Amino acid sequence: MIKAQSYNSKGPEATFAFGKQLAADISGGEIFALYGDLGAGKTAFVQGLAAGLGVTQTVNSPTFPIMNIYKLKHKKIKSLCHIDTYRLTDGNELTAIGALDYIGAVDTVTAIEWAEKATALLPKIVINVKFETISEIERKIIIN
Ligand SMILES: Nc1ncnc2c1ncn2[C@@H]1O[C@H](COP(=O)(O)OP(=O)(O)OP(=O)(O)O)[C@@H](O)[C@H]1O
Ligand SMILES: [Mg+2]
């Protein structure tokens, strides 16, 4: 279970490590709704999560395509679904590409960058992760 917490990151490596460490508390079906400006560290966080889940491929911001699926060799979780809605006008396009097959599925962990554009599609219970840019290298990451 992912606990509500706040973390002061002092650099990209720390954000990565924070995401990586959280992966240990994942049990499947989690939806990480990520909020924060351009360059706030959303992708860096997902890269950490992915590493913690055993992904060895390079994880990039899925700007095009807007959804990347990583198959996992994890005992409980089959896939990591990484979505970036930045280029979408609304969530409907996510339905069109089949994202609802993954979002919230018990054998899947989902992380959505720019989650504000997908709120209509998301279940009520998600893990909200807000990234605040404090300085060039500092970020405050708030999980609710
Ligand atoms: N503490 C920090 N945590 C994360 N990234 C940091 C930090 N300090 C500096 N950075 C830099 O900020 C950038 C974060 O990029 P990243 O792609 O993770 O952001 P993003 O929120 O996914 O942006 P976008 O909305 O464009 O997808 C990187 O260039 C990284 O080096
Ligand atoms: Mg990104």
Side-chain angles (χ1 to χ4, degrees):
M1 172 125 143
I2 305 286
K3 292 192 204 89
Q5 58 191 292
S6 150
Y7 175 72
N8 291 306
S9 165
K10 298 266 171 16
E13 303 79 13
T15 297
F16 178 94
F18 180 60
K20 187 171 175 182
Q21 168 225 305
L22 286 181
D25 298 328
I26 279 173
S27 51
E30 287 86 352
I31 300 165
F32 290 88
L34 312 179
Y35 300 91
D37 294 337
L38 286 169
K42 302 179 292 297
T43 299
F45 174 84
V46 178
Q47 287 168 335
L49 266 186
L53 290 168
V55 174
T56 50
Q57 293 150 269
T58 307
V59 173
N60 292 313
S61 225
T63 310
F64 190 86
I66 56 172
M67 176 170 81
N68 288 336
I69 306 292
Y70 300 92
K71 292 292 166 202
L72 307 176
K73 290 191 190 113
H74 188 277
K75 50 184 180 330
K76 285 192 250 173
I77 309 151
K78 274 199 206 136
S79 2
L80 168 66
C81 170
H82 184 193
I83 295 172
D84 189 333
T85 69
Y86 187 64
R87 280 161 205 273
L88 299 186
T89 43
D90 58 47
N92 292 332
E93 288 147 278
L94 285 179
T95 312
I97 62 166
L100 296 185
D101 294 345
Y102 293 97
I103 297 173
V106 290
D107 60 358
T108 302
V109 174
T110 304
I112 308 180
E113 300 193 32
W114 299 96
E116 48 268 64
K117 284 200 190 162
T119 38
L121 285 180
L122 299 181
K124 282 212 184 83
I125 299 178
V126 299
I127 302 163
N128 286 306
V129 189
K130 293 202 175 121
F131 296 80
E132 291 173 6
T133 302
I134 306 296
S135 73
E136 208 176 309
I137 59 152
E138 286 169 288
R139 306 289 187 265
K140 186 169 186 190
I141 306 171
I142 305 151
I143 299 189
N144 282 300

Coordinates of all heavy atoms in Angstrom, one line a residue, residues 100-142:
L100 N -8.4 1.9 -21.4 CA -9.2 1.5 -20.3 C -9.1 0.0 -20.0 O -9.5 -0.5 -18.9 CB -10.7 1.8 -20.6 CG -11.0 3.3 -20.6 CD1 -12.5 3.5 -20.8 CD2 -10.5 4.0 -19.4
D101 N -8.5 -0.8 -20.9 CA -8.2 -2.2 -20.7 C -7.1 -2.3 -19.6 O -7.0 -3.3 -18.9 CB -7.7 -2.9 -21.9 CG -8.7 -3.0 -23.0 OD1 -9.9 -2.7 -22.7 OD2 -8.4 -3.2 -24.2
Y102 N -6.3 -1.3 -19.4 CA -5.2 -1.3 -18.5 C -5.4 -0.5 -17.2 O -5.1 -1.0 -16.1 CB -3.9 -0.7 -19.2 CG -3.4 -1.6 -20.3 CD1 -3.7 -1.3 -21.6 CD2 -2.6 -2.7 -20.0 CE1 -3.3 -2.1 -22.7 CE2 -2.1 -3.5 -21.1 CZ -2.5 -3.2 -22.4 OH -2.0 -4.0 -23.4
I103 N -6.0 0.7 -17.3 CA -6.2 1.5 -16.2 C -7.0 0.8 -15.1 O -8.2 0.5 -15.3 CB -6.9 2.9 -16.6 CG1 -6.0 3.6 -17.6 CG2 -7.2 3.7 -15.4 CD1 -6.6 4.9 -18.2
G104 N -6.4 0.6 -13.9 CA -7.1 0.0 -12.8 C -7.2 -1.5 -12.8 O -7.7 -2.1 -11.9
A105 N -6.7 -2.2 -13.9 CA -6.7 -3.6 -14.0 C -5.8 -4.2 -12.8 O -4.8 -3.6 -12.5 CB -6.2 -4.1 -15.3
V106 N -6.2 -5.3 -12.2 CA -5.5 -5.7 -11.0 C -4.1 -6.2 -11.2 O -3.3 -6.2 -10.3 CB -6.3 -6.9 -10.3 CG1 -7.6 -6.3 -9.6 CG2 -6.6 -8.0 -11.2
D107 N -3.8 -6.6 -12.5 CA -2.5 -7.0 -12.8 C -1.6 -5.9 -13.5 O -0.6 -6.2 -14.0 CB -2.5 -8.3 -13.7 CG -3.2 -8.0 -15.0 OD1 -3.7 -6.8 -15.2 OD2 -3.3 -8.9 -15.9
T108 N -2.1 -4.7 -13.3 CA -1.4 -3.6 -14.0 C -1.2 -2.4 -13.0 O -2.0 -2.2 -12.1 CB -2.3 -3.1 -15.2 OG1 -2.5 -4.1 -16.1 CG2 -1.7 -1.9 -15.9
V109 N -0.1 -1.7 -13.2 CA 0.2 -0.5 -12.5 C 0.2 0.6 -13.5 O 0.8 0.5 -14.6 CB 1.5 -0.5 -11.8 CG1 1.8 0.9 -11.2 CG2 1.6 -1.6 -10.7
T110 N -0.6 1.6 -13.3 CA -0.7 2.7 -14.3 C -0.1 4.0 -13.7 O -0.4 4.3 -12.6 CB -2.2 2.9 -14.7 OG1 -2.8 1.7 -15.1 CG2 -2.4 4.0 -15.7
A111 N 0.6 4.7 -14.6 CA 1.1 6.1 -14.2 C 0.7 7.0 -15.3 O 1.0 6.8 -16.5 CB 2.6 6.1 -14.0
I112 N 0.0 8.1 -15.0 CA -0.5 9.0 -16.0 C 0.0 10.4 -15.8 O -0.3 11.1 -14.7 CB -2.1 9.1 -16.0 CG1 -2.7 7.7 -16.0 CG2 -2.6 10.0 -17.1 CD1 -4.2 7.7 -16.0
E113 N 0.8 10.9 -16.7 CA 1.3 12.3 -16.6 C 0.2 13.2 -17.2 O -0.5 12.8 -18.1 CB 2.6 12.4 -17.5 CG 3.7 11.5 -17.0 CD 5.1 11.8 -17.6 OE1 5.4 13.0 -17.9 OE2 5.8 10.8 -17.7
W114 N 0.2 14.4 -16.6 CA -0.9 15.3 -16.9 C -2.3 14.7 -16.7 O -3.2 14.7 -17.6 CB -0.8 15.9 -18.4 CG 0.5 16.6 -18.6 CD1 1.7 16.1 -19.1 CD2 0.8 17.9 -18.2 NE1 2.7 17.0 -19.1 CE2 2.2 18.2 -18.6 CE3 0.1 19.0 -17.6 CZ2 2.8 19.4 -18.4 CZ3 0.7 20.2 -17.4 CH2 2.1 20.4 -17.8
A115 N -2.4 14.1 -15.5 CA -3.7 13.4 -15.2 C -4.9 14.2 -15.2 O -6.0 13.7 -15.4 CB -3.5 12.7 -13.8
E116 N -4.7 15.6 -15.1 CA -5.9 16.4 -15.1 C -6.8 16.3 -16.4 O -8.0 16.5 -16.4 CB -5.5 17.9 -14.9 CG -4.4 18.5 -15.7 CD -3.1 18.4 -15.0 OE1 -2.6 17.2 -14.8 OE2 -2.4 19.4 -14.7
K117 N -6.1 15.9 -17.5 CA -6.9 15.7 -18.7 C -7.6 14.4 -18.8 O -8.4 14.2 -19.7 CB -5.9 15.8 -19.9 CG -5.5 17.2 -20.2 CD -5.0 17.3 -21.6 CE -4.3 18.7 -21.9 NZ -3.5 18.6 -23.0
A118 N -7.4 13.5 -17.8 CA -8.0 12.2 -17.9 C -8.9 12.0 -16.7 O -9.5 10.9 -16.6 CB -6.9 11.1 -17.9
T119 N -9.2 13.0 -15.9 CA -9.9 12.8 -14.6 C -11.3 12.1 -14.9 O -11.7 11.3 -14.1 CB -10.1 14.1 -13.8 OG1 -10.3 15.1 -14.7 CG2 -8.9 14.4 -13.0
A120 N -11.9 12.5 -16.0 CA -13.3 12.0 -16.3 C -13.2 10.5 -16.5 O -14.2 9.8 -16.2 CB -13.8 12.6 -17.5
L121 N -12.1 9.9 -16.9 CA -12.0 8.5 -17.2 C -11.5 7.7 -16.0 O -11.6 6.5 -16.0 CB -11.0 8.3 -18.3 CG -11.4 8.6 -19.7 CD1 -10.2 8.3 -20.6 CD2 -12.6 7.8 -20.1
L122 N -11.0 8.4 -15.0 CA -10.3 7.7 -13.9 C -11.3 7.3 -12.8 O -12.3 8.0 -12.5 CB -9.2 8.5 -13.3 CG -8.1 8.9 -14.2 CD1 -7.0 9.7 -13.5 CD2 -7.4 7.7 -14.8
P123 N -11.1 6.2 -12.1 CA -11.9 5.8 -11.0 C -11.7 6.9 -9.9 O -10.8 7.7 -9.9 CB -11.4 4.5 -10.6 CG -10.2 4.2 -11.4 CD -10.0 5.2 -12.4
K124 N -12.6 6.8 -8.9 CA -12.5 7.8 -7.8 C -11.2 7.7 -7.0 O -10.7 8.6 -6.5 CB -13.7 7.6 -6.8 CG -15.0 8.2 -7.4 CD -15.9 8.7 -6.2 CE -17.2 9.2 -6.7 NZ -18.2 8.1 -6.9
I125 N -10.8 6.4 -6.8 CA -9.6 6.2 -5.9 C -8.4 6.1 -6.8 O -8.2 5.1 -7.5 CB -9.8 5.0 -5.0 CG1 -11.1 5.3 -4.1 CG2 -8.6 4.8 -4.2 CD1 -11.4 4.2 -3.1
V126 N -7.6 7.1 -6.7 CA -6.3 7.0 -7.4 C -5.2 7.5 -6.4 O -5.6 8.1 -5.4 CB -6.3 7.9 -8.7 CG1 -7.3 7.4 -9.7 CG2 -6.5 9.4 -8.4
I127 N -4.0 7.3 -6.7 CA -2.9 7.9 -5.9 C -2.5 9.2 -6.6 O -1.9 9.2 -7.7 CB -1.7 6.9 -5.8 CG1 -2.2 5.6 -5.2 CG2 -0.6 7.5 -5.0 CD1 -1.3 4.4 -5.5
N128 N -2.8 10.3 -6.0 CA -2.4 11.6 -6.6 C -1.0 11.9 -6.2 O -0.6 11.9 -5.0 CB -3.4 12.7 -6.0 CG -4.7 12.6 -6.7 OD1 -4.9 12.6 -7.9 ND2 -5.8 12.5 -5.9
V129 N -0.2 12.2 -7.2 CA 1.2 12.6 -6.9 C 1.4 14.0 -7.6 O 1.3 14.1 -8.8 CB 2.2 11.6 -7.5 CG1 3.6 11.9 -7.0 CG2 1.8 10.2 -7.1
K130 N 1.7 15.0 -6.7 CA 1.9 16.4 -7.2 C 3.3 16.7 -7.1 O 4.0 16.5 -6.1 CB 1.1 17.3 -6.4 CG -0.4 17.1 -6.6 CD -1.3 18.3 -6.2 CE -2.7 18.0 -6.6 NZ -3.6 18.1 -5.5
F131 N 3.8 17.2 -8.2 CA 5.3 17.6 -8.3 C 5.3 19.2 -8.3 O 4.8 19.8 -9.2 CB 5.9 17.1 -9.6 CG 5.9 15.6 -9.6 CD1 4.8 14.9 -10.0 CD2 7.1 14.9 -9.3 CE1 4.8 13.5 -10.0 CE2 7.1 13.5 -9.4 CZ 6.0 12.8 -9.7
E132 N 6.0 19.7 -7.3 CA 6.2 21.2 -7.2 C 7.6 21.5 -7.5 O 8.5 20.9 -6.8 CB 5.7 21.7 -5.9 CG 4.2 21.6 -5.7 CD 3.8 22.0 -4.3 OE1 4.6 22.5 -3.5 OE2 2.6 21.8 -4.0
T133 N 7.8 22.4 -8.4 CA 9.2 22.9 -8.7 C 9.6 23.9 -7.7 O 9.0 25.0 -7.6 CB 9.3 23.4 -10.1 OG1 8.9 22.3 -11.0 CG2 10.8 23.8 -10.5
I134 N 10.6 23.6 -6.8 CA 11.0 24.5 -5.8 C 12.2 25.4 -6.3 O 12.3 26.6 -6.0 CB 11.5 23.7 -4.5 CG1 10.4 22.8 -4.0 CG2 11.9 24.7 -3.4 CD1 9.1 23.4 -3.6
S135 N 13.2 24.7 -7.0 CA 14.3 25.4 -7.6 C 14.7 24.6 -8.8 O 14.1 23.6 -9.1 CB 15.4 25.6 -6.6 OG 16.1 24.3 -6.4
E136 N 15.8 25.0 -9.4 CA 16.3 24.3 -10.6 C 16.4 22.8 -10.3 O 16.1 21.9 -11.1 CB 17.6 24.8 -11.0 CG 17.9 24.7 -12.5 CD 19.2 25.4 -12.9 OE1 19.4 26.6 -12.5 OE2 20.0 24.7 -13.5
I137 N 16.9 22.4 -9.1 CA 17.1 21.0 -8.8 C 16.3 20.4 -7.7 O 16.4 19.3 -7.4 CB 18.6 20.8 -8.5 CG1 19.0 21.6 -7.2 CG2 19.5 21.0 -9.6 CD1 20.2 20.9 -6.5
E138 N 15.4 21.3 -7.1 CA 14.6 20.8 -6.0 C 13.1 20.6 -6.4 O 12.6 21.5 -7.1 CB 14.6 21.7 -4.8 CG 15.9 21.6 -4.0 CD 16.0 22.8 -3.0 OE1 16.2 23.9 -3.5 OE2 15.9 22.5 -1.8
R139 N 12.5 19.5 -6.0 CA 11.1 19.3 -6.2 C 10.5 18.8 -4.9 O 11.1 18.0 -4.2 CB 10.9 18.2 -7.3 CG 11.7 18.4 -8.6 CD 11.1 19.5 -9.4 NE 11.7 19.6 -10.7 CZ 12.7 20.4 -11.0 NH1 13.3 21.2 -10.1 NH2 13.2 20.4 -12.3
K140 N 9.2 19.2 -4.7 CA 8.5 18.7 -3.6 C 7.5 17.7 -4.2 O 6.7 18.1 -5.1 CB 7.8 19.8 -2.8 CG 7.1 19.3 -1.6 CD 6.7 20.5 -0.7 CE 6.1 19.9 0.6 NZ 5.4 20.9 1.4
I141 N 7.4 16.5 -3.7 CA 6.5 15.5 -4.3 C 5.6 15.1 -3.2 O 5.9 14.7 -2.1 CB 7.3 14.2 -4.7 CG1 8.5 14.7 -5.7 CG2 6.4 13.2 -5.4 CD1 9.4 13.5 -6.0
I142 N 4.3 15.4 -3.5 CA 3.2 15.1 -2.4 C 2.3 14.0 -2.9 O 1.7 14.1 -4.0 CB 2.4 16.4 -2.2 CG1 3.4 17.6 -1.8 CG2 1.4 16.2 -1.1 CD1 2.9 18.9 -2.2

